[in-house]
Amino acid sequence: MKRVILIVALIAGGLWAEEPRTEAPAALNHNLACKQLQERWERANAEMATPVENLVLPVEFHPNGRVKIILRAKQSQMFKDGYIFATGVHFDMFDVDGKKNGEMVMDDCLFDRERRIGYCKGRVHVNRDGDALKSRGMYFSTEPNFIKLLSECEIRTRRIPVDLGRLS
């Protein structure tokens, strides 16, 4: 009988001590986000009335406070809804020690500062850690690292071992 009371007390104590559960934020639907940016791109391009020249803007930081990604653009327009539309775009990427470890070069870019996602309609080149991507049109997310190449894609990597059996 003492065991039953002890077990009931432990269970009840555990239930009372448990913190209220909060729902985790919904994961970003990359297909929907890409479509939203594609639809917003035309309007942003048309609204670029007073562009800023030679923009340099840190857009993401590492937990230690160092810059993770810097956006540089020849011409850009910041909108009240948190978007940046830019042409002549160059994203520089850095590791936690501040060493440059990659870059994205784009003809144009619509970047959502809040969700840290972007869309390029024109040509894009990505170089990172020895990998190279080329495409016309690209959707990307900085957290988590995600890239969707949209057309005319070329990928060069040394990460995939070339062991094609009889073909190699």
Side-chain angles (χ1 to χ4, degrees):
M1 184 69 157
K2 289 183 182 180
R3 282 189 180 165
V4 172
I5 294 172
L6 180 60
I7 291 171
V8 169
L10 290 173
I11 292 172
L15 291 174
W16 287 106
E18 188 176 50
E19 293 185 24
R21 293 183 182 182
T22 58
E23 292 186 31
L28 181 63
N29 180 335
H30 290 292
N31 289 328
L32 179 60
C34 180
K35 185 178 178 184
Q36 290 170 344
L37 287 177
Q38 287 173 322
E39 291 169 356
R40 179 74 170 90
W41 189 95
E42 294 295 337
R43 197 170 85 225
N45 186 28
E47 292 174 356
M48 193 159 128
T50 56
V52 172
E53 293 189 3
N54 301 317
L55 174 74
V56 177
L57 179 71
V59 293
E60 190 162 344
F61 298 88
H62 288 286
N64 67 2
R66 289 187 185 250
V67 173
K68 184 176 182 180
I69 301 174
I70 292 178
L71 164 65
R72 292 187 290 132
K74 290 181 181 174
Q75 291 191 329
S76 62
Q77 178 85 41
M78 291 188 188
F79 299 102
K80 291 179 182 178
D81 57 2
Y83 288 97
I84 299 173
F85 182 78
T87 59
V89 181
H90 197 117
F91 283 92
D92 292 316
M93 297 175 271
F94 301 92
D95 64 14
V96 293
D97 297 323
K99 291 173 45 180
K100 187 173 175 181
N101 68 352
E103 64 183 357
M104 293 191 296
V105 180
M106 306 173 186
D107 287 344
D108 55 73
C109 180
L110 177 63
F111 186 74
D112 181 343
R113 294 176 68 187
E114 183 179 325
R115 295 186 293 173
R116 294 182 297 206
I117 58 175
Y119 168 72
C120 170
K121 188 173 183 176
R123 291 174 303 173
V124 60
H125 302 267
V126 179
N127 295 305
R128 182 155 189 191
D129 296 329
D131 297 330
L133 309 173
K134 289 183 183 179
S135 178
R136 179 166 296 280
M138 179 180 84
Y139 163 82
F140 65 95
S141 173
T142 64
E143 268 313 309
N145 292 333
F146 179 87
I147 290 178
K148 181 177 183 178
L149 302 173
L150 300 175
S151 69
E152 300 177 29
C153 308
E154 179 181 318
I155 302 171
R156 294 178 185 253
T157 183
R158 297 184 195 274
R159 294 175 194 240
I160 302 171
V162 180
D163 184 12
L164 303 174
R166 297 183 325 191
L167 299 175
S168 53

